[in-house]
Amino acid sequence: MLLNPLARGGRVITGLFGRGRQLLTRTPEFRRGFRTWRGERPFWAALFTFAAGLPILYWPYAHLSLGGIPLALSTTSGAGSLLIGTLLPALGVALCWRPHLRVFAGIATLLLALISFPVANFGGLFLGVASGLIGGSLACAWLPPRADEPTTTAEEGRSGT
């Protein structure tokens, strides 16, 4: 990839398959826009909630070997793990795209994380329970920004940066 730092508005990246086409990236604008988007929703609650479902979903279906001895945690908790492990990432996505559902999604995350402890192999070996409790608590505690507060882009525009 060839970089041209003299291009206006960012870097020009010419890829291997571009055949003369240039992709103009505007990283400062993207970062500022992402920061504004992230500030308008419970982003960290959604991230922890999404991450809570992954170990709960993984461990019952993983087949590991420890020194040649097969190790499987698949028990009767497979169906419960599948249900809880798919609902938690769905709640994480719902927190990002529908922030007004934060209390419902937070309470549902807390309940699913607590239910996963006895149902789904100690809640994904404690990783899913811990991440779910953090994500659910953050979702319930998050408040949307007030309308009379200036956004970060307006503050940056006023300060001249």
Side-chain angles (χ1 to χ4, degrees), residues 42 45 102-103 106 134-144:
R102 69 187 183 280
V103 176
I134 292 170
S137 300
L138 287 173
C140 289
W142 184 80
L143 293 174

Side-chain angles (χ1 to χ4, degrees), residues 46-133:
L47 193 65
F48 275 104
T49 301
F50 189 89
L54 300 179
I56 292 172
L57 193 59
Y58 174 74
W59 287 115
Y61 300 105
H63 296 287
L64 307 171
S65 64
L66 184 65
I69 300 171
L71 175 68
L73 293 174
S74 56
T75 60
T76 58
S77 69
S81 297
L82 181 64
L83 183 65
I84 294 170
T86 53
L87 283 176
L88 284 172
L91 286 170
V93 170
L95 278 170
C96 266
W97 297 109
R98 301 286 187 228
H100 61 276
L101 297 175
R102 69 187 183 280
V103 176
F104 167 74
I107 292 172
T109 299
L110 290 170
L111 290 175
L112 286 173
L114 289 174
I115 289 171
S116 74
F117 186 74
V119 170
N121 294 326
F122 298 115
L125 298 179
F126 302 106
L127 296 173
V129 170
S131 182
L133 291 177

Side-chain angles (χ1 to χ4, degrees), residues 24-71:
L24 186 63
T25 61
R26 292 184 168 86
T27 54
E29 290 88 4
F30 174 77
R31 289 184 64 196
R32 193 174 306 120
F34 179 69
R35 187 180 314 129
T36 303
W37 179 84
R38 190 183 66 201
E40 296 172 349
R41 53 197 30 89
F43 177 76
W44 292 106
L47 193 65
F48 275 104
T49 301
F50 189 89
L54 300 179
I56 292 172
L57 193 59
Y58 174 74
W59 287 115
Y61 300 105
H63 296 287
L64 307 171
S65 64
L66 184 65
I69 300 171
L71 175 68

Side-chain angles (χ1 to χ4, degrees), residues 149-161:
E149 291 180 0
T151 60
T152 56
T153 56
E155 289 174 0
E156 289 173 0
R158 241 183 295 140
S159 65
T161 58

